[in-house]
Amino acid sequence: MSSRGFKHDLFAQFARVGKALSNGNRLELLEYIAQAERSVDELAKVSGLTMANTSQHLQQLRLAGLVSCRKEGLKVFYTLSGYDVIGLLDALRGVAERHVADVERLINAYLTVKDNLEPVPAAELLHRAREGLVTVLDVRPVEEYAAGHLPGAINIPLPELEARLDRLDLHKEVVAYCRGPHCILAFDAVERLRKLGRDARRLEGGFPEWQHAGLPVEDAGESH
Amino acid sequence: MSSRGFKHDLFAQFARVGKALSNGNRLELLEYIAQAERSVDELAKVSGLTMANTSQHLQQLRLAGLVSCRKEGLKVFYTLSGYDVIGLLDALRGVAERHVADVERLINAYLTVKDNLEPVPAAELLHRAREGLVTVLDVRPVEEYAAGHLPGAINIPLPELEARLDRLDLHKEVVAYCRGPHCILAFDAVERLRKLGRDARRLEGGFPEWQHAGLPVEDAGESH
DNA sequence: ATTCTAATCAATTGATCTATTGATAAGTAT
DNA sequence: ATACTTATCAATAGATCAATTGATTAGAAT
């Protein structure tokens, strides 16, 4: 095998992974899968894609080595192949944010009050939560919470926020988190809590980033 | 703007970066650019692509925010937009290596003596080089060496290795490095040095990774 | 002015990608 | 057996991508 040929083939293999990341729908699916193991129909529902389309995208992700799957009865559950995939997604997001001007414009256009929403770094939250100074709020759907969440976090899915406000201590600051740095659930939660007069901020990053950083995690078995 | 629309648009932007990484030729160009600032015709020559084709790929990389360019006289020089791009490329490589079975097979097929070529970690090299125990050998072309290299590294481009062997101390171990973890220059160098009875290993990673790790670097002005 | 070089642009062809549609397979439930 | 659910497969049309070709622009040199 020639040296040039080797190189060429090797870059072609790396490009397969790049190709898997080259479609917005696949990136969205990856973000959902990064929360918890998911079946195809869950992913289809939450992404708004058809079943067949979702299935095909998932197979492309699988061939690129980004996700693995497991069959159980009728359902097929997909999960990330490893934590390094979260690292890759973060690197992609980071580069896009720092270098693609459109991303910043988009974020600013949607998050008009962005500057009021300075995020809390993970290390700071961990410290303050241990001292009981803050309420940690998980605004993702119950299934995602059940699959794993921050220690001591209270789960109130975003649609029920106002209805179940009594679960949040009136006198503590609330730190909300959700799926990731650009998931808007936590942004919305903070905005709504502030309208209700609460002291609220959001966590920098989401659950996958927290987990990837090696910080402590609780799952359904030990939840409150 | 609806929340779903925002999310959709945002993922589409991230996918633009993924798309830039979805082609082997572009990844190869990025690796060359990661070594040093490069003009379009240099890149065309070294990659074997036509001028027009190279130019078009470079523009795609530019639109994705991965490279920037600067015009000087007739020439246009391209450079990485930031060090985070090296981090992204490493994450891509890492995931591909760990999860795409074909990559491993490819590497094993080419590097038949791979197990004899255990790389030296950067930290170890830095330590041993400071104590004068090893000769650090840069086997990249002179232009790349001039744009930046490891402190005290001796530059012998691979084709001239045997001819200029006298520049390497016979009694010290040689540690060779090149463009990156899969650049075959360093592999070849080690293999050839060993055939000549020298004690040689290669550095883990290449110059971009060394630089990205924040380790000390020399450039042409202070070279030996 | 003319010529040359470096780079980009514009148009084209063939290949690949995306989403849809309808069919099929595998497992459950009645 | 029959019906239902979940997921995949197969075929298709339209969109996008990649590489080539030839023309064009911008700057340098004679």
Side-chain angles (χ1 to χ4, degrees), chain A residues 31-48:
Chain A
E31 173 161 280
Y32 291 129
I33 296 171
Q35 307 304 316
E37 199 183 47
R38 302 284 210 150
S39 67
V40 181
D41 75 327
E42 277 179 304
L43 288 167
K45 247 171 237 146
V46 82
S47 67

Side-chain angles (χ1 to χ4, degrees), chain B residues 28-99:
Chain B
E28 190 174 354
L29 290 173
L30 279 174
E31 174 161 281
Y32 290 129
I33 297 171
Q35 307 305 314
E37 199 184 47
R38 301 285 210 150
S39 66
V40 181
D41 74 327
E42 277 180 304
L43 289 167
K45 245 171 241 145
V46 82
S47 68
L49 303 176
T50 64
M51 194 73 166
N53 198 6
T54 306
S55 174
Q56 279 161 193
H57 279 306
L58 290 170
Q59 275 166 78
Q60 287 188 54
L61 291 174
R62 197 164 53 80
L63 286 174
L66 297 177
V67 303
S68 332
C69 64
R70 169 179 79 79
K71 186 159 188 175
E72 191 182 308
L74 275 178
K75 299 199 171 185
V76 176
F77 291 96
Y78 281 82
T79 165
L80 291 194
S81 299
Y83 289 128
D84 54 357
V85 177
I86 294 179
L88 174 58
L89 291 173
D90 276 348
L92 186 75
R93 250 196 292 259
V95 168
E97 270 176 33
R98 274 186 287 279
H99 301 302

Side-chain angles (χ1 to χ4, degrees), chain A residues 39-41 51-52 55-56 59 74-76 78:
Chain A
S39 67
V40 181
D41 75 327
M51 194 73 164
S55 174
Q56 279 162 194
Q59 274 165 79
L74 275 177
K75 299 198 171 185
V76 176
Y78 281 83

